[in-house]
Amino acid sequence: MSFRQQFGILAIVTLGFSLFTSVEAGQRSGSASAARSWTSPRTTDGQPDLQGYWTNDTFTPLERPAELAGKAVFSEAEAAQYFKQRLDQYIGQSRTDIHYDDAIWQGENIAKEPNLRTSLIVDPPDGKVPPLTPEAAARAAARAAARRSSGPADDVQGRTLAERCISWGNVGPPMIPPTYNANLQIIQTRDYVVIRHEMIHEDRIIPLDGRPHLGSRIRLLAGDSRGRWEGDALVVETTNFTGKTNFRGAPRNTRQDIFASDAVRVVERFTRVGPDSIRYQFTVEDPTTWTQPWSGEVPIRRFDGPLFEYACHEGNYGLPNILLGARNSEKLKQP
């Protein structure tokens, strides 16, 4: 690893611990009174102003790890140790093993968000996605059987949406942070809110004018969103998902086998809670998939911007090489 990369990672650690100390201390010592004195800014149309460049970057996984069962929050010392452990995992990837080198991308100038929570999911209290219904378990078994009937590199369609540069799933909803480039820009007009994601290249357009959702026959990868203001909070309801794709998050933070049905519904709340922070909350419900709804919370904080072009397709040499390697392996096995 170069000095430049090492310096970037050191900066992440230093700034992360600094943020952790100042934020948590502030919350305990008097941020409540500061929050009461702070007033959410308004746009020229009188709406709460969510505009700007933001990041939801974090090491906190979607679900609580098994070794932390029963522990909803860390102490400060435990959070610092967990933060260091996760960084060490990135930096310590084996040089003798061919892998996607996440350590390279951790040299961003934006520190990971230290979080006392042990999972992004806050309900159910165990920090886990709820159990599947019998109907959903049958669907999952059918998907697993279909996967066993084909090879992992038989065709392009068999690879993940991220490998195909279609979507990392971080656009949501819910917006689950990717491993890196977890940056977004919020733009507002009187009738729309637009959320631009750096990863991969998606723009989510949310109408605010009260129009109905699309017809039930129209299904979209990120669903069909409609927004409204409730006090200082932007509330967004999204329906019309397709059940053909999984609820994606970064593989290091999220299981890749979380599937819903066409009936899934997601409700999000964006609340400006400080000059440089937004509280992002979400609830996912699908009675044909899970035994109960599940909810989570992700801290979002401001950064200076701008967003940069990800150019995923232009640099995607991995996907054709995976398929080419599989075809060459097949030829070698021929008599």
Side-chain angles (χ1 to χ4, degrees):
M1 181 180 297
S2 70
F3 172 79
R4 184 187 187 93
Q5 293 165 354
Q6 293 177 21
F7 181 81
I9 293 171
L10 177 61
I12 292 173
V13 177
T14 304
L15 181 55
F17 287 160
S18 174
L19 279 172
F20 174 82
T21 303
S22 60
V23 170
E24 295 302 320
Q27 289 176 346
R28 292 190 308 274
S29 64
S31 63
S33 60
R36 285 193 297 268
S37 64
W38 182 81
T39 302
S40 177
R42 291 294 195 266
T43 66
T44 55
D45 298 309
Q47 298 172 345
D49 192 348
L50 303 176
Q51 297 180 102
Y53 294 101
W54 306 90
T55 179
N56 59 359
D57 204 3
T58 183
F59 274 141
T60 306
L62 176 67
E63 297 182 278
R64 187 170 302 140
E67 64 271 20
L68 297 175
K71 190 178 187 63
V73 295
F74 286 124
S75 68
E76 290 188 19
E78 291 168 337
Q81 177 59 35
Y82 181 77
F83 187 75
K84 181 179 184 303
Q85 175 186 335
R86 292 300 301 271
L87 273 174
D88 289 345
Q89 289 175 354
Y90 281 115
I91 299 171
Q93 294 178 99
S94 173
R95 293 180 177 272
T96 61
D97 178 38
I98 298 176
H99 61 277
Y100 191 82
D101 195 354
D102 287 318
I104 294 176
W105 315 117
Q106 301 310 309
E108 296 177 289
N109 292 328
I110 306 168
K112 297 287 186 186
E113 174 68 31
N115 195 343
L116 291 184
R117 297 188 189 277
T118 57
S119 64
L120 298 181
I121 292 179
V122 298
D123 187 61
D126 66 358
K128 297 281 190 181
V129 173
L132 296 176
T133 63
E135 176 184 350
R139 294 198 306 265
R143 280 194 300 270
R147 286 195 299 270
R148 289 193 296 269
S149 66
S150 60
D154 283 358
D155 52 37
V156 171
Q157 289 72 25
R159 306 304 297 184
T160 68
L161 295 180
E163 285 184 354
R164 295 161 61 189
C165 291
I166 295 174
S167 176
W168 267 60
N170 54 295
V171 66
M175 300 192 313
I176 301 172
T179 306
Y180 60 96
N181 291 348
N183 308 321
L184 54 97
Q185 180 184 10
I186 298 179
I187 305 167
Q188 288 178 239
T189 69
R190 183 190 63 185
D191 298 323
Y192 292 92
V193 170
V194 179
I195 304 177
R196 300 183 59 226
H197 288 264
E198 184 167 341
M199 192 77 153
I200 290 179
H201 43 234
E202 296 167 272
D203 297 307
R204 183 175 165 207
I205 302 174
I206 305 170
L208 304 174
D209 55 8
R211 70 182 69 180
H213 283 284
L214 297 173
S216 61
R217 297 180 61 184
I218 300 176
R219 299 286 163 178
L220 303 173
L221 184 62
D224 180 49
S225 296
R226 297 290 182 267
R228 65 182 184 274
W229 295 103
E230 291 185 0
D232 288 340
L234 172 65
V235 180
V236 182
E237 178 182 358
T238 304
T239 60
N240 295 68
F241 289 94
T242 172
K244 296 180 180 179
T245 60
N246 58 338
F247 258 75
R248 299 162 311 282
R252 284 184 174 270
N253 290 339
T254 312
R255 285 191 291 119
Q256 300 298 289
D257 62 345
I258 303 176
F259 281 80
S261 74
D262 289 353
V264 68
R265 172 177 174 266
V266 178
V267 176
E268 304 162 281
R269 296 181 69 89
F270 298 77
T271 308
R272 187 86 174 266
V273 293
D276 299 317
S277 56
I278 292 174
R279 180 188 299 119
Y280 174 70
Q281 301 163 293
F282 65 85
T283 297
V284 182
E285 59 180 58
D286 181 352
T288 71
T289 298
W290 298 293
T291 56
Q292 69 178 87
W294 50 282
S295 301
E297 183 172 324
V298 184
I300 298 178
R301 64 196 189 282
R302 186 184 297 279
F303 80 106
D304 291 337
L307 302 185
F308 293 95
E309 180 189 10
Y310 186 56
C312 185
H313 283 287
E314 292 83 346
N316 192 3
Y317 304 108
L319 183 58
N321 288 337
I322 288 171
L323 300 177
L324 179 62
R327 302 295 82 79
N328 287 335
S329 294
E330 291 166 355
K331 291 178 182 179
L332 292 174
K333 294 177 181 179
Q334 294 176 354

